[in-house]
Amino acid sequence: MERTIMQDLIAWKNKSDRKPLILQGARQVGKTWIMKKFGQQYYKYVAYVNMDHNVHMQDSFAKDFDVERILEDIGIETHTKILAGETLIILDEIQEVPLALSCLKYFCENAPEYHIIAAGSLLGVAMHKGISYPVGKVNLLTMYPLSYKEFLDAVGDDQLAAYVDQPGNDKLVTFRDKYIANLKKYYFIGGMPEAVMTYLQDRDYDAVREVQNTILHLYESDFSKHIENRSELERTRMVWNSVPMQLTKENKKFFFGQIKKGARSADFEVSIQWLIDCGLLYKVYCVEKPNLPLKAYTNFSSYKLFMVDIGLLGAMTDLNVESLLERNRIFIEFKGAMTEQYVHQQLVSTTTYIPYYYSNVKSRNEIDFLIQIRGSVIPIEVKAEENLQSKSLKAYVDKYKPAYAVRTSMKDYRKQDWLINLPLWCVSDLAEFPISES
């Protein structure tokens, strides 16, 4: 299974000013697998250390920050030669040994010739507990579930994948039925690597759902394991279980009252932040006035929450494969939430843009996403089907006159005076925005 993040890892290896790398991402997105594969393909030796319950490493880092001694200990622990430039050192679940995280600073300053990658699914949570972070002494990289483009490549449609960044290409029209069929599969399977691999092995959707439910169970086990306060644990579970319901609302702004009657934001903000720190949820803030920079006009009390993966969203709602592939009534009622989740997932995994959304209480206009591209604010409207009524988008364009407006749907690519119709399977092309007129 090819992952585009491999190119980022290669670029890190070849940097002249390379620092220890921290690989972030939710549990089960494939961090351990990609680190090991990267090491096997591009280094002579790989020294892999799982820091979870590793007494030897805990003792080693607790003594002092003597880098040469620690490197020797890692070699003994892994039975591997530790050679500068030839050995990839992997410190997995590094948050379990906080002193190891602090030590990355000394690796950077005193032994920059060694190649070190650290990863941790709960690293963000650890930061909020006061663990020292080596600011300015590490490189950062975030790993996500497979994007739709990566999914196409994984299921053997690599030729189709080659054109999703070329929205004006005729092949996208000729083979649109194939893109749609794969999109439906992606809605159900999602991008978690184990779910995708299970589908590839047996083409068994029930087995895929079993994998997804297992992943969800692991996440909930993390809640119990790492949240010590019982009331905070219960609130975290309530937030987590409420997200699918919140996304199905016509107004997808997160309402605390839908978690629990009379609930206030102060009651649940810690729980929401915990889930965000784990990489399981994403906040998309509201912008009431779409001026540059968007962050300066953010309403931090108003936001939408999205999940890490569309397949897990479907599993949490128990959306069966027949509903999705045959597009029966159950799916029709949920298609808006699935499609908006899909677009958000592609935006965060294939572009560098931070998505916001626009809402005007007086006019009741809402734009699904706003992204800031160089000197422009670009509105993006998401449509699940081919019904292209765009009253809110047109009103927004008339008022704010953006350089471009994007509507993504099941329709083929088309560029109009003020609007670009972008197929849902080409959302990753926004990484190269503005889109060519070809």
Side-chain angles (χ1 to χ4, degrees), residues 74-137:
I74 291 173
I76 294 170
E77 176 72 10
T78 62
H79 307 286
T80 304
K81 293 181 180 180
I82 307 297
L83 302 177
E86 296 186 44
T87 303
L88 178 65
I89 300 168
I90 300 173
L91 305 179
D92 208 355
E93 299 299 342
I94 193 171
Q95 78 281 349
E96 299 300 328
V97 183
L99 289 172
L101 187 64
S102 300
C103 190
L104 294 181
K105 171 186 175 181
Y106 300 96
F107 279 117
C108 176
E109 294 176 346
N110 303 328
E113 66 273 22
Y114 291 94
H115 295 210
I116 301 172
I117 299 182
S121 301
L122 297 171
L123 198 52
V125 173
M127 295 302 98
H128 276 90
K129 288 186 176 180
I131 291 179
S132 177
Y133 191 82
V135 178
K137 303 298 181 180

Side-chain angles (χ1 to χ4, degrees), residues 193-210:
E194 188 179 357
V196 176
M197 289 299 297
T198 298
Y199 171 76
L200 294 177
Q201 289 168 5
D202 303 313
R203 309 284 168 169
D204 184 343
Y205 288 103
D206 289 336
V208 169
R209 181 48 50 84
E210 186 175 339

Side-chain angles (χ1 to χ4, degrees), residues 31-50:
K31 297 187 300 298
T32 300
W33 178 84
I34 198 70
M35 290 188 297
K36 287 183 175 180
K37 184 175 182 181
F38 173 56
Q40 291 162 2
Q41 290 186 349
Y42 296 98
Y43 290 84
K44 189 172 182 179
Y45 306 104
V46 179
Y48 174 82
V49 181
N50 189 325

